[in-house]
């Protein structure tokens, strides 16, 4: 690995060319991933990518004039002293703030590189171009903000905020709510059937735990495998599957845990109270995030929960 101080002017230009190309690709990748959800911010990154391409063209023209057409491939990872970043395409899905922060780091590093490279250059033309590029990067001190004045209008920011909210609803709230409803309601029948059939709190707890965990695994797999999110825009299947699976298990375990209490009727009345709390929470989530009137949501959930609860008691008492 070569030290920065050992680079020749030819190698400095070759490094600058590859760096500008890498940065342009990173910005273009950010823009591509944001195009559907955050079109205004995507346009910001596309302009940043185009500016990096323009810098690369200036560097390439000067390199060809000074050293010919062959440009050795020298990357920042080959030189000591540069921060080693993971390539943007290996990071996975970054959120919009992480992308903007990454862009700010890139601009700061490029400014420092061009300033130090210009100080080491003895060729007036190369030195001038490197200083010009340093000034261009310095002018980026808030390029996201500067370009944002052009593209991220108040309306665009509101739209992007709404898009982020919709994605959160689709990816976390909706599958989590479905899981909580399923876990809270569907496990009522086997739990209370076991309770009234055995009057044994420990056996009832085991049945409730098995039903809750089993339902959580089933719901998690069903949600995660239902679609990959590419066509529906519902987000990453792993996040949806975890949200649905965990909340399903939590919903069932909530009214299974009281049966750790040895006294049957104490455990049962506490479990019933927990069920009412669960149904209230579900109603509140539907009211808060799904724009469902609270009383309507509470009535719908209460009716469904009561029917399943009654079914469990009747079967268990038969």
């Amino acid at each position: 690995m070569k030290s920065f101080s050992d680079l020749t002017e030819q190698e400095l230009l070759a490094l600058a060319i590859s760096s500008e190309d890498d940065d342009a690709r990173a910005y273009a990748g950010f823009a591509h991933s944001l195009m559907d959800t955050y079109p205004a911010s995507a346009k910001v990154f596309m302009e940043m990518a185009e500016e990096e391409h323009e810098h690369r063209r200036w560097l390439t023209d000067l390199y060809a004039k000074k050293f010919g057409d062959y440009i050795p491939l020298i990357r920042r990872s080959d030189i000591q002293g540069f921060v080693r970043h993971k390539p943007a395409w290996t990071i996975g899905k970054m959120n919009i703030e992480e992308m903007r922060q990454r862009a700010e780091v890139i601009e700061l590093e490029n400014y420092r590189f061009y300033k130090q490279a210009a100080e080491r250059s003895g060729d007036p033309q190369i030195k001038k171009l490197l200083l010009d590029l340093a000034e261009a990067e310095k002018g980026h001190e808030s390029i996201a903000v500067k370009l944002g004045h052009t593209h991220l209008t108040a309306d665009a920011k509101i739209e992007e905020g709404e898009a982020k909210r919709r994605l959160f609803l689709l990816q976390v709230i909706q599958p989590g709510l479905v899981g909580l409803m399923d876990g809270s309601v569907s496990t009522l029948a086997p739990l209370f059937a076991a309770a009234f059939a055995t009057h044994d709190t420990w056996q009832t707890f085991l049945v409730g735990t098995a039903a809750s965990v089993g339902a959580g695994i089933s719901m998690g797999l069903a949600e995660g495998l239902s679609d990959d999110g590419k066509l529906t825009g519902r987000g990453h299947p792993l996040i949806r599957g975890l949200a649905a699976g965990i909340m399903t298990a939590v919903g069932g375990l909530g009214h299974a845990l009281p049966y750790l209490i040895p006294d049957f009727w104490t455990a049962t009345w506490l479990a019933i109270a927990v069920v009412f709390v669960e149904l209230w929470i579900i109603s509140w989530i539907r009211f808060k995030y799904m724009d469902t009137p609270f009383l309507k949501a509470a009535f719908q959930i209460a009716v469904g929960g009561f029917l399943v609860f009654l079914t469990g008691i009747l079967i268990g008492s038969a």
Side-chain angles (χ1 to χ4, degrees):
M1 184 174 289
K2 203 166 185 177
S3 172
F4 177 78
S5 60
D6 294 332
L7 295 178
T8 65
E9 289 184 330
Q10 181 179 3
E11 291 169 337
L12 284 172
L13 286 182
L15 174 59
I17 290 169
S18 70
S19 298
E20 293 289 352
D21 187 58
D22 287 343
D23 297 342
R25 290 177 184 272
Y27 294 149
F30 294 163
H32 177 75
S33 65
L34 295 173
M35 194 65 69
D36 294 333
T37 311
Y38 303 110
S41 287
K43 194 169 184 180
V44 169
F45 282 116
M46 281 304 298
E47 287 203 2
M48 294 172 71
E50 183 53 42
E51 188 166 353
E52 299 303 297
H53 282 309
E54 183 67 18
H55 293 171
R56 179 178 55 80
R57 286 190 286 269
W58 295 346
L59 289 161
T60 303
D61 290 344
L62 182 59
Y63 183 97
K65 181 179 177 180
K66 295 290 183 179
F67 305 108
D69 295 331
Y70 172 70
I71 304 176
L73 180 58
I74 304 175
R75 297 191 181 280
R76 283 175 285 209
S77 58
D78 302 325
I79 308 301
Q80 291 179 356
F82 281 91
V83 177
R84 280 172 177 40
H85 296 292
K86 288 184 178 180
W89 63 271
T90 67
I91 294 176
K93 190 168 181 61
M94 300 171 69
N95 63 45
I96 191 169
E97 291 305 319
E98 290 171 332
M99 292 178 187
R100 287 171 176 161
Q101 290 172 10
R102 176 71 175 267
E104 290 175 1
V105 171
I106 289 174
E107 291 155 10
L108 178 59
E109 288 181 340
N110 287 345
Y111 168 70
R112 289 173 175 171
F113 164 70
Y114 285 127
K115 285 286 289 183
Q116 293 180 32
E119 291 173 1
R120 297 188 57 249
S121 176
D123 185 294
Q125 286 184 298
I126 295 177
K127 188 180 188 74
K128 181 180 184 306
L129 177 58
L130 294 175
L131 287 174
D132 288 344
L133 291 172
E135 286 303 309
E137 297 295 343
K138 184 179 180 181
H140 290 176
E141 52 186 308
S142 189
I143 189 169
V145 174
K146 185 178 82 171
L147 293 177
H149 289 322
T150 304
H151 300 301
L152 296 183
T153 62
D155 288 341
K157 289 178 180 178
I158 291 173
E159 289 174 4
E160 291 193 354
E162 182 61 25
K164 185 181 291 186
R165 177 179 177 273
R166 286 198 302 270
L167 184 61
F168 180 68
L169 287 175
L170 290 172
Q171 200 165 6
V172 179
I173 296 298
Q174 190 178 68
L177 177 61
V178 170
L180 185 60
M181 291 172 63
D182 183 81
S184 298
V185 176
S186 68
T187 57
L188 290 176
L191 179 78
F192 286 104
F196 282 86
T198 65
H199 282 73
D200 185 318
T201 58
W202 177 246
Q203 296 300 321
T204 301
F205 170 74
L206 292 180
V207 170
T209 300
S212 302
V213 174
I217 294 172
S218 176
M219 280 294 292
L221 289 174
E223 179 63 37
L225 298 176
S226 61
D227 69 75
D228 59 10
K230 293 179 180 178
L231 293 177
T232 60
R234 297 178 64 217
H236 199 287
L238 177 61
I239 296 177
R240 300 194 330 268
L242 286 174
I246 291 172
M247 294 309 295
T248 300
V250 167
L253 289 172
H255 44 258
L257 289 175
Y259 281 97
L260 288 171
I261 299 172
D263 183 75
F264 173 77
W265 286 108
T266 300
T268 298
W269 284 114
L270 181 58
I272 292 173
V274 170
V275 170
F276 277 106
V277 172
E278 291 171 348
L279 297 182
W280 183 90
I281 291 174
I282 292 171
S283 300
W284 182 83
I285 293 175
R286 294 186 67 197
F287 165 73
K288 175 72 174 179
Y289 293 102
M290 301 300 175
D291 298 325
T292 304
F294 183 81
L295 292 179
K296 180 180 179 181
F299 177 77
Q300 292 170 340
I301 295 299
V303 170
F306 176 75
L307 291 175
V308 177
F309 170 74
L310 187 61
T311 300
I313 293 178
L314 291 174
I315 293 176
S317 302

